[in-house]
Amino acid sequence: MLTETPFRPREKLLEKQRLFQSIHRHTYLKGPMDKITSVAIPIALAASSLYMIGTGIYNMSNGIGKKE
């Protein structure tokens, strides 16, 4: 019977497990790039949507930016 080689060496896997178990943060913020995907991108989306809403309200209140 053939056995499949693992994607990562066992030592690396045990090292990563020890690292993640020692960090006392939420699970979705434990990785090195997780702050970008869980914090920065939602903040950027919220900021851009608030800007567009504000621009729309300003244009509607002043009657500008209408299509002919």
Side-chain angles (χ1 to χ4, degrees):
M1 192 163 243
L2 296 173
T3 58
E4 220 177 296
T5 59
F7 292 117
R8 265 181 206 222
R10 190 164 189 77
E11 297 80 31
K12 282 271 195 189
L13 180 64
L14 291 174
E15 180 185 326
K16 289 274 188 190
Q17 282 179 344
R18 269 189 257 114
L19 172 71
F20 281 114
Q21 288 172 357
S22 67
I23 297 174
H24 296 292
R25 279 187 269 172
H26 294 289
T27 307
Y28 58 90
L29 291 176
K30 286 188 177 184
M33 301 296 286
D34 289 343
K35 284 192 175 122
I36 293 172
T37 57
S38 295
V39 177
I41 292 175
I43 287 175
L45 288 172
S48 64
S49 64
L50 287 174
Y51 171 75
M52 288 167 40
I53 289 170
T55 305
I57 291 173
Y58 176 79
N59 287 345
M60 281 193 298
S61 64
N62 290 321
I64 57 175
K66 292 191 268 184
K67 293 187 178 180
E68 294 291 325

